[in-house]
Amino acid sequence: MIGIQGEKVDTRDMPPMNLVFLVDVSGSMQSHRKLPLVKSGLKLLIKQMRPQDRLALVVYAGAAGVVLPSTSGSEKATMLQALERLKAGGSTAGSAGIKLAYQVARQNFMENGNNRVILASDGDF
């Protein structure tokens, strides 16, 4: 077993984050090495979020939808509940998902913040 530790960053000086995760929940993400791994990584991120940070979850499979509207980092339980509801199945409507994710990001844009749309997919569009 190998352990690696990256540089620890003092988050007090970081600008607020507006993160929109676009998560592929199509049938191709059913493997234990795909959607469950994405959910595990997001749980770690959520635990580190500050009250001024915001997270939204947009998904796509047969259609696109908002699973978690932009939510304050102080509402970790709400975020984790939304994350647990994610299940893989269906076809892939990636284009609709991308459009919706950017719409959510624009609606919650933070001036002088760290605004990002992050795609979590196996790339099977």
Side-chain angles (χ1 to χ4, degrees):
M1 181 176 281
I2 298 174
I4 298 175
Q5 172 64 52
E7 179 182 352
K8 293 198 178 206
V9 177
D10 187 358
T11 59
R12 291 178 293 181
D13 298 330
M14 288 176 44
M17 296 186 295
N18 170 32
L19 303 177
V20 179
F21 275 83
L22 174 57
V23 181
D24 180 352
V25 292
S26 67
S28 66
M29 292 290 286
Q30 286 181 342
S31 164
H32 71 280
R33 300 169 91 187
K34 294 182 181 182
L35 185 58
L37 190 58
V38 169
K39 289 168 67 171
S40 177
L42 282 170
K43 285 178 189 176
L44 292 173
L45 172 69
I46 290 167
K47 289 178 184 178
Q48 297 178 33
M49 292 187 76
R50 305 164 298 170
Q52 65 268 33
D53 298 329
R54 301 194 68 79
L55 174 72
L57 293 174
V58 176
V59 297
Y60 67 91
V66 176
V67 172
L68 177 73
S70 184
T71 303
S72 166
S74 63
E75 298 182 48
K76 290 175 176 40
T78 302
M79 292 175 180
L80 292 170
Q81 288 171 356
L83 193 58
E84 286 305 314
R85 290 193 303 266
L86 300 184
K87 306 285 185 233
S91 60
T92 305
S95 176
I98 290 170
K99 289 176 185 175
L100 181 57
Y102 275 94
Q103 177 184 343
V104 170
R106 275 192 304 273
Q107 289 170 348
N108 299 284
F109 184 81
M110 293 180 171
E111 191 69 39
N112 300 318
N114 183 10
N115 298 278
R116 299 286 183 262
V117 173
I118 301 163
L119 174 61
S121 172
D122 61 0
D124 190 10
F125 266 50

